[in-house]
Amino acid sequence: MEVVFESASSLAKMAKLRIEQDEAIHVLHPNQIVAFQGRSEQREDSLMKLPSMYRKKRFIQSRVRGPAQLMLGLPEGYSMSVVPIGADDDLLYEFRHVLFYTEGVSFTSHLQNVKNTLITQDLVKMQFKGPGTLGLLTAGPLYQMTLDPKQPLYVDISCLIAYPRNAKLRLCVYGNTLASQHMNYHWEMTGQGHVLLQPCKPDAKLDEHMKNDSLLRRVAREVIPFGGIFIK
């Protein structure tokens, strides 16, 4: 699979995916598909499994077989990064940031404890196994930082995209009293490997899947034909 990034203007950006014969990708945000070149039967939409519905706040996903080309639109202020996934990959990802993954990639769930779930509002993390590729949608470009076994790395919880499964995490604030009273919760992290970060805090207004939309409205928009047009 080949990925090419294009800019329609200084703000709007798109990613063109060229899918070869015998390749396929799963798009978890089908509404971001703005153009498709291929045979109609090469796109197959289906209902997500219930755990994925909860985590993605979506109900439909698309599987596209090659040879074909897709144009994915990226919301204003967001970037798409392509991450290779190996057979021994140990990173745990925020599932809501996964835009697509290639056929052959598998994933398993890892439950958070109650305290972390309440603060992060995210019950599970996802571990992906390859070989394959992930497409991640992030607020700003994706960055990588290396962990240290002793020196903690403090990361705003809204900016952390992925971290090693065996990393040690503790919810905290840091700095003096004034600093700790006016900051978002951070992860205090130590361990081996690296973490993936987005440099900007997500803005719900830029991307529909970040909004606290009602369950009924999401169901109607996803299930009813042309629901995304008529139900705002």
Side-chain angles (χ1 to χ4, degrees):
M1 182 187 69
E2 181 183 359
V3 179
V4 178
F5 294 96
E6 300 182 358
S7 295
S9 69
S10 60
L11 296 177
K13 295 182 179 180
M14 294 179 287
K16 181 188 295 183
L17 278 61
R18 184 174 294 110
I19 309 167
E20 302 296 338
Q21 182 75 37
D22 299 325
E23 290 183 336
I25 67 167
H26 297 263
V27 182
L28 302 185
H29 292 274
N31 286 341
Q32 300 308 125
I33 300 176
V34 298
F36 166 76
Q37 187 175 42
R39 301 190 309 274
S40 177
E41 62 270 19
Q42 289 175 252
R43 172 174 171 170
E44 302 172 359
D45 283 18
S46 61
L47 287 173
M48 287 186 177
K49 296 180 181 179
L50 285 176
S52 297
M53 288 183 185
Y54 170 77
R55 291 188 292 270
K56 295 294 290 182
K57 298 181 181 180
R58 286 290 178 270
F59 298 89
I60 304 295
Q61 68 179 31
S62 297
R63 178 178 181 267
V64 180
R65 297 180 289 110
Q69 290 190 81
L70 287 181
M71 185 73 77
L72 297 177
L74 307 181
E76 181 183 341
Y78 281 77
S79 300
M80 192 190 86
S81 301
V82 179
V83 179
I85 300 296
D88 299 322
D89 199 292
D90 70 338
L91 291 183
L92 300 180
Y93 286 82
E94 293 277 1
F95 194 52
R96 65 178 176 269
H97 291 281
V98 180
L99 177 60
F100 70 84
Y101 61 90
T102 56
E103 189 100 317
V105 172
S106 60
F107 51 89
T108 55
S109 303
H110 293 269
L111 295 176
Q112 293 200 97
N113 61 41
V114 175
K115 179 182 178 181
N116 290 0
T117 298
L118 291 175
I119 293 177
T120 63
Q121 298 183 355
D122 196 359
L123 178 62
V124 298
K125 305 294 183 184
M126 305 301 296
Q127 182 176 2
F128 293 86
K129 295 288 187 180
T133 302
L134 287 185
L136 300 177
L137 190 62
T138 57
L142 192 69
Y143 287 96
Q144 177 178 307
M145 290 192 70
T146 302
L147 290 177
D148 187 272
K150 296 182 179 180
Q151 182 68 37
L153 173 67
Y154 297 96
V155 180
D156 190 308
I157 61 172
S158 63
C159 295
L160 183 63
I161 304 298
Y163 60 88
R165 179 178 177 181
N166 294 321
K168 295 181 180 179
L169 286 79
R170 185 176 70 89
L171 282 168
C172 68
V173 291
Y174 65 94
N176 62 11
T177 302
L178 185 60
S180 62
Q181 288 177 345
H182 294 274
M183 69 169 57
N184 195 17
Y185 274 106
H186 282 60
W187 290 115
E188 180 186 278
M189 309 179 67
T190 55
Q192 302 283 348
H194 63 272
V195 299
L196 300 180
L197 309 171
Q198 59 181 4
C200 308
K201 295 183 180 181
D203 184 347
K205 295 181 181 179
L206 296 182
D207 190 5
E208 185 181 358
H209 85 281
M210 296 292 182
K211 293 179 181 177
N212 292 321
D213 219 353
S214 69
L215 178 63
L216 180 60
R217 186 178 295 272
R218 293 201 308 268
V219 171
R221 188 183 294 118
E222 297 284 357
V223 174
I224 296 176
F226 303 106
I229 298 176
F230 300 109
I231 301 174
K232 301 298 182 182

